Amino acid sequence: MYKNSLLANSVRIALVSGAALTAFTAPTAFAADEIADNVERIEVTGSRIKRADLETASPISVIDASSIIASGATSIDDVLRNMTSAGGAMTNAAINNGSQGNARINLRGLGSNRTLVLVNGRRMIASGTGAASTVDLNTIPVSMIQRVEVLKDGASAIYGTDAIAGVVNVILKRDFEGFEVNVQTGLSGEGDADETSIDFTLGNTFDKGNIVINGQYTKRGDASQADRDFSKCPIAETTDASDIYCAGSGYSQGGHIWGDKNHGIVGSGQDGAYAIGDSGYYGHYVADPKTGKPVWEAFADKSVPDLSGLGGQYHDFTDADRYNFAETSYLSTPMERLNLSFSGTYELSDSIMFFSEAMYSKRWSNQQMAPQPIWNSSPWAYDSSWMTQELVGLVQEGEKLDYGRRVVESGNRYFSQTVDTVRVVVGLEGELSNGWSWDASYNKGKNDSVDTLANLHNLGSINDAVMAKEFDPFSQSSWEGESIAPYIYTEVNSGGSELDIFSATLSGEVMELPAGMLGFAAGYEYREESAHFTPDSLTSQGLANDPRVEGTAGSFDVNELYAELAIPLLSDLPFAEQVDLSAAMRYFDYSTFGDDSTWKLGLTWRMTEDLMIRGGRSTAFRAPTVSELYGGKSPSFEQIKHPATTQTQAEVTVGGNPMLTPEEADITTVGLVYSPSYVEGLSFTVDYFDIAITNTITEVDNNYLANQCLDATGNKINTGAALCQSSNIEIDGTGRISFDNGLQNIGQTNTSGYDINVAYVFEGLGLDWKAGLDTSILDTYEEFDPDGNAVDYRGYVTGGVGAYAKLKTNFNLTATGDIWSATYEARYIDGMDSFACKDDPSKCYAPSVDSIIYHDLSATYDVTDMVRLSGGVNNIFDEEPPYYSGNNDSNTDPYTYDVLGRYFFVRASVKF
């Protein structure tokens, strides 16, 4: 009697809470009879043991195919990014600078590398450009998805490395019958960012098995920053932060010349250092009244040259000479994508089945940025005997000049990527005579990429030509036509990764205990990963304008053993209708750092049929990837706000570190599930999470590093700190800040908070209704730098690692009739402060952003039994992304906010 009641209540809770867990999407497609048919033996994400009770000790969100379709998404990342539990920097189509066309998911804001992505419960190949270390969600076809299960808890004991923030398990269609074709198209309210997708699915079930074939083609158009008021010009703030103005880059069209303040000065100090009393043409060195150290002081009748060549005639540089690089940069990037998928099973005997999966993805993606900014790494001495006479009287003969230029004459920079990804899984699964199930499989993944960057300049050769008096950099004609043509080149890089996994699992019910059956699962896994990146020959030799880029190559392998138990402790007792304990342990031995183990304990305590309390405690780990271990050093130009410079970008050298060791994490979750029997259809869940990561592999926030290591005048500070010693920070004559910010085992990352879900399914006005509210509250998020200083990100929006809102909420309301349905959705993001203004908000024009709400509306209509039309409008009220000081790109944070504005989509589906 109780078992039937428990099963029914489990189904009811799962159905109702599904609405809350997917409150940002349309209603779940699971029907009660479908679940009832399968509830006897279901493997839920986060466990290898098939069980009847759908509720586990870990919180899980389920997003089904109809929810994805209702959102208008053509890639699963479009849906996952809107989850309240997602945050931080999530690469998407709006990231023009540095995305390389990839799409990533980032749970808890802990980084996409700490979110494990599975397909049908097995690892997906890391994909993208270069030596990719995380999964590009473009490789997973939306049209093949049956549902997505998101485990918001650590699961290293079950799945191994990377499962610290959680697990995204994409379940593909396996038992599809018939033929279905879908065509979808969309367009922004500004008439750009058009997107068209067409897909087909063919499936057939026969006596011995089934087969499903799917194909999807998607083409996405671009949008320009110039076509939106908020992004059409890079915004700068006045020195006193009282106003903003349309600014741009100091590397301007026509060239920018910075004179040498030390011209004519001969250092009389030790090793040629400048000393008090040393004097030259523009100024001299005097004693600092505070420190007594020598500081440069200008002569009253002299000013150091600061010249612009805009318009063809040199003049004093002003803000009007700055280059608007936004006009030619994408706001949303174009892409074409082809996905082909296959799934099949075949019964070899009554107890053994062969299964196979195959996925192929080809992506063509592009980004566009303004013409290349170039600069001389070493100053050029002015020599009027062969250089242009236009500088006579403006600079001094022999003066060493720093030079920067936006090479508009050569055209925009064009980035392109061609990425091929293949994944094949073959295996056997079966059932033993005692009812135990087993499976053995081989998972092979391979990713190859070629990425190009056109209209770059070989400044190494230009510098050689200047030294040989064959190229006058200060003459405008030198940068035009045939004169500059020999120095223009296209960078071509290649990369790839491979994944090989052999695995075997055994699971079943060991024995019957007084409170139920003891479940068991155990398995073995061997995994080998390799990756490589080969940069362009000019770039790898450091002959191009940007600093030298090093290659990447490496591999590792790991042997793993794991075991899991589901132990029923109590049943049919007052306030303990069912109490279950789950336990898991995994042992791993890596070729790169050795062996260790991780474990997990979970408890579900069903006090009554209406109320269940759950909790878990686990350890987790993340092994450094090939690119983190062996990634070569390369330059990255990152947004920065620092009082010592007017430049908004710093040259940051990033790269791997072969001395890295694994991250370790302690994870705690506690929650309850309440579904009152006296209010049919109502469900409430609340879960608390606490994740503490030690030995964190990361980079320090760029703004934080620069402000810790340089003062307002550009002098180095905190030179004894490990952070500043390892950064090698410098500021050159142009005001460009450069520093090293490679990967390190920095210290610790802590985050905690609450996930709250409320759902209500009811009938009224002759319609079926479903309402849901999904809320995430961030209680703490802090990282520790190498010196042990806590850096608090809670409630801040950053200039490079996304946003960490204290509160995010999604509301969903769906009405369903006989042949139609309509869904209204609201997504709320709490207001935040700018991380760049944390130390002194008064120095920022916009030190904070207000909260924002996005409103979406979608509907479906069944024309016939075979034809369905659907469509919708996202961001109905055309909410504009907020500006804040120290922003990332487009004067906002495209990781977090919608930059396209109002967006329309329509879809037609035909199924036979």
Side-chain angles (χ1 to χ4, degrees):
M1 177 70 179
Y2 168 73
K3 293 298 181 184
N4 290 334
S5 175
L6 174 60
L7 178 59
N9 198 52
S10 298
V11 172
R12 181 165 65 91
I13 291 177
L15 283 170
V16 177
S17 62
L21 295 173
T22 58
F24 56 92
T25 58
T28 179
F30 290 126
D33 56 344
E34 292 176 330
I35 293 184
D37 290 341
N38 296 283
V39 74
E40 294 294 334
R41 299 175 64 86
I42 290 179
E43 184 176 309
V44 180
T45 300
S47 175
R48 301 284 189 181
I49 301 173
K50 295 180 180 179
R51 60 189 72 205
D53 191 349
L54 300 183
E55 291 293 340
T56 67
S58 300
I60 299 175
S61 295
V62 180
I63 308 169
D64 72 342
S66 64
S67 302
I68 299 170
I69 292 170
S71 71
T74 58
S75 177
I76 188 58
D77 73 290
D78 293 336
V79 176
L80 295 175
R81 279 201 322 271
N82 289 336
M83 294 181 64
T84 60
S85 56
M90 292 174 284
T91 309
N92 59 80
I95 308 301
N96 182 53
N97 184 5
S99 72
Q100 296 191 305
N102 297 310
R104 313 288 189 195
I105 177 61
N106 186 347
L107 291 178
R108 305 294 187 202
L110 288 170
S112 56
N113 53 0
R114 297 184 186 94
T115 301
L116 178 62
V117 177
L118 308 174
V119 175
N120 294 333
R122 298 178 178 86
R123 285 181 178 267
M124 182 64 185
I125 172 72
S127 48
T129 52
S133 58
T134 55
V135 174
D136 177 12
L137 297 176
N138 287 308
T139 59
I140 303 175
V142 165
S143 55
M144 191 66 172
I145 295 176
Q146 178 176 320
R147 68 182 185 276
V148 180
E149 297 177 355
V150 181
L151 174 70
K152 295 179 287 186
D153 189 9
S156 286
I158 308 299
Y159 299 113
T161 184
D162 303 340
I164 290 180
V167 178
V168 175
N169 187 11
V170 182
I171 310 299
L172 302 182
K173 297 172 182 176
R174 189 169 180 177
D175 298 317
F176 182 86
E177 190 76 28
F179 180 69
E180 181 177 352
V181 178
N182 302 288
V183 179
Q184 179 173 313
T185 187
L187 189 71
S188 79
E190 299 295 327
D192 53 16
D194 56 298
E195 187 169 21
T196 300
S197 178
I198 181 170
D199 65 78
F200 74 88
T201 306
L202 174 66
N204 183 44
T205 300
F206 46 92
D207 291 341
K208 292 287 187 177
N210 63 73
I211 185 172
V212 181
I213 300 173
N214 174 271
Q216 179 176 346
Y217 171 77
T218 303
K219 184 175 183 179
R220 183 178 69 211
D222 65 82
S224 173
Q225 292 185 21
D227 294 331
R228 300 293 191 279
D229 287 339
F230 67 85
S231 62
K232 64 183 180 182
C233 182
I235 293 175
E237 301 178 3
T238 57
T239 304
D240 60 0
S242 63
D243 200 3
I244 57 175
Y245 60 94
C246 178
S249 171
Y251 296 132
S252 55
Q253 184 175 352
H256 189 170
I257 295 175
W258 292 269
D260 178 13
K261 69 179 183 180
N262 292 311
H263 179 61
I265 302 179
V266 177
S268 62
Q270 186 176 1
D271 297 327
Y274 296 119
I276 297 171
D278 291 345
S279 181
Y281 184 82
Y282 295 111
H284 59 164
Y285 279 86
V286 297
D288 187 306
K290 293 182 178 179
T291 66
K293 295 181 178 180
V295 293
W296 185 84
E297 181 183 70
F299 292 144
D301 59 339
K302 298 285 175 59
S303 59
V304 182
D306 186 16
L307 306 174
S308 169
L310 182 64
Q313 185 173 357
Y314 283 104
H315 55 274
D316 287 340
F317 185 91
T318 68
D319 285 332
D321 293 297
R322 291 183 174 276
Y323 181 78
N324 182 0
F325 53 81
E327 288 184 329
T328 50
S329 294
Y330 284 147
L331 182 69
S332 182
T333 58
M335 180 187 67
E336 288 186 73
R337 185 179 73 235
L338 175 66
N339 296 96
L340 300 175
S341 305
F342 166 85
S343 175
T345 63
Y346 187 80
E347 291 184 10
L348 299 178
S349 69
D350 291 340
S351 59
I352 300 177
M353 177 177 288
F354 170 81
F355 64 89
S356 62
E357 304 167 13
M359 301 170 62
Y360 170 73
S361 171
K362 191 175 187 72
R363 166 165 64 87
W364 303 267
S365 51
N366 302 94
Q367 301 84 46
Q368 178 177 292
M369 296 181 67
Q372 183 184 22
I374 61 96
W375 60 90
N376 55 345
S377 56
S378 297
W380 290 321
Y382 178 64
D383 184 350
S384 62
S385 67
W386 69 277
M387 290 179 170
T388 178
Q389 299 296 304
E390 296 175 17
L391 290 177
V392 174
L394 299 177
V395 301
Q396 304 308 304
E397 193 73 24
E399 184 173 352
K400 295 179 179 179
L401 305 176
D402 287 300
Y403 185 80
R405 185 185 187 92
R406 186 71 59 163
V407 195
V408 175
E409 297 81 358
S410 301
N412 298 325
R413 284 170 291 169
Y414 297 100
F415 301 75
S416 67
Q417 302 86 35
T418 302
V419 184
D420 292 273
T421 306
V422 178
R423 178 181 185 264
V424 178
V425 178
V426 293
L428 299 173
E429 59 185 15
E431 187 172 297
L432 303 177
S433 58
N434 62 357
W436 286 27
S437 60
W438 61 271
D439 69 76
S441 64
Y442 170 58
N443 181 352
K444 173 68 177 182
K446 189 171 178 17
N447 174 68
D448 291 296
S449 67
V450 174
D451 64 277
T452 64
L453 173 50
N455 287 340
L456 295 182
H457 298 80
N458 186 344
L459 199 66
S461 295
I462 291 176
N463 189 67
D464 290 343
V466 174
M467 296 299 101
K469 300 183 179 182
E470 297 172 353
F471 187 95
D472 178 5
F474 306 120
S475 173
Q476 300 296 338
S477 61
S478 297
W479 302 95
E480 301 172 354
E482 294 182 0
S483 177
I484 192 63
Y487 304 103
I488 301 175
Y489 74 99
T490 296
E491 179 181 288
V492 181
N493 310 302
S494 62
S497 58
E498 286 194 54
L499 173 71
D500 292 273
I501 302 177
F502 297 90
S503 63
T505 303
L506 178 67
S507 64
E509 295 177 337
V510 179
M511 59 184 295
E512 186 170 4
L513 300 177
M517 296 298 297
L518 173 64
F520 169 81
Y524 165 77
E525 183 174 292
Y526 171 80
R527 185 172 80 255
E528 183 176 348
E529 295 188 34
S530 62
H532 70 277
F533 170 67
T534 305
D536 184 88
S537 59
L538 284 177
T539 307
S540 64
Q541 296 175 69
L543 299 178
N545 183 62
D546 292 341
R548 180 172 177 260
V549 175
E550 300 175 349
T552 299
S555 64
F556 66 82
D557 61 75
V558 56
N559 289 278
E560 299 180 275
L561 292 169
Y562 58 89
E564 182 184 359
L565 292 173
I567 309 168
L569 300 178
L570 301 171
S571 66
D572 299 327
L573 296 175
F575 300 105
E577 293 202 357
Q578 186 70 41
V579 180
D580 294 326
L581 175 70
S582 60
M585 177 169 285
R586 175 177 289 253
Y587 167 82
F588 48 86
D589 186 2
Y590 277 78
S591 60
T592 46
F593 60 83
D595 64 335
D596 206 339
S597 62
T598 185
W599 55 266
K600 183 172 186 176
L601 293 174
L603 183 73
T604 58
W605 177 10
R606 191 176 301 279
M607 300 183 67
T608 67
E609 289 190 8
D610 297 350
L611 177 64
M612 185 185 76
I613 298 175
R614 62 188 177 190
R617 176 73 175 167
S618 64
T619 61
F621 76 101
R622 188 179 75 83
T625 65
V626 171
S627 60
E628 289 173 333
L629 288 168
Y630 310 116
K633 292 182 179 180
S634 63
S636 177
F637 293 90
E638 304 292 343
Q639 292 294 112
I640 196 170
K641 181 178 175 60
H642 196 282
T645 180
T646 58
Q647 294 198 32
T648 58
Q649 286 188 326
E651 180 190 322
V652 184
T653 300
V654 298
N657 181 354
M659 303 303 292
L660 292 174
T661 56
E663 298 177 340
E664 299 176 357
D666 291 311
I667 302 169
T668 302
T669 60
V670 179
L672 63 84
V673 180
Y674 183 57
S675 182
S677 55
Y678 52 86
V679 183
E680 185 176 357
L682 179 64
S683 176
F684 174 84
T685 67
V686 58
D687 289 282
Y688 168 79
F689 67 89
D690 183 283
I691 304 173
I693 306 173
T694 56
N695 224 26
T696 305
I697 301 172
T698 189
E699 303 164 357
V700 180
D701 179 84
N702 293 310
N703 275 294
Y704 177 80
L705 189 152
N707 283 284
Q708 286 290 306
C709 304
L710 282 183
D711 66 15
T713 60
N715 294 316
K716 296 180 182 180
I717 56 176
N718 297 325
T719 54
L723 173 67
C724 299
Q725 287 180 340
S726 63
S727 71
N728 298 313
I729 194 165
E730 298 287 348
I731 183 168
D732 65 15
T734 72
R736 182 169 55 90
I737 297 174
S738 61
F739 51 85
D740 296 337
N741 196 7
L743 293 172
Q744 305 175 59
N745 287 110
I746 284 181
Q748 187 170 339
T749 302
N750 298 329
T751 185
S752 63
Y754 301 87
D755 293 325
I756 303 172
N757 301 279
V758 183
Y760 188 34
V761 179
F762 59 98
E763 295 180 359
L765 303 176
L767 302 173
D768 294 327
W769 296 84
K770 178 178 288 186
L773 190 68
D774 185 16
T775 299
S776 290
I777 301 172
L778 186 61
D779 189 47
T780 61
Y781 194 104
E782 59 182 7
E783 293 184 354
F784 291 81
D785 70 15
D787 297 292
N789 302 309
V791 184
D792 186 7
Y793 287 97
R794 176 178 176 265
Y796 287 99
V797 57
T798 74
V801 293
Y804 298 87
K806 296 178 182 178
L807 176 67
K808 295 174 72 176
T809 296
N810 294 329
F811 173 74
N812 170 279
L813 179 64
T814 298
T816 303
D818 292 335
I819 59 174
W820 64 273
S821 69
T823 299
Y824 164 73
E825 301 166 13
R827 295 176 284 120
Y828 171 85
I829 302 174
D830 199 16
M832 289 173 280
D833 296 325
S834 171
F835 189 80
C837 308
K838 185 177 183 179
D839 293 336
D840 190 353
S842 66
K843 294 183 178 180
C844 296
Y845 176 82
S848 62
V849 297
D850 292 332
S851 61
I852 193 169
I853 304 177
Y854 296 109
H855 303 268
D856 306 330
L857 187 65
S858 62
T860 65
Y861 178 76
D862 293 332
V863 180
T864 68
D865 292 340
M866 295 187 300
V867 179
R868 169 174 287 185
L869 300 179
S870 58
V873 184
N874 294 331
N875 195 356
I876 297 172
F877 298 110
D878 200 22
E879 291 287 345
E880 193 171 276
Y883 166 78
Y884 64 95
S885 303
N887 58 77
N888 177 28
D889 192 16
S890 306
N891 298 315
T892 188
D893 180 19
Y895 289 121
T896 303
Y897 299 108
D898 172 25
V899 299
L900 285 180
R902 188 181 295 115
Y903 198 86
F904 304 88
F905 67 91
V906 293
R907 178 185 178 92
S909 303
V910 180
K911 185 175 182 179
F912 303 95

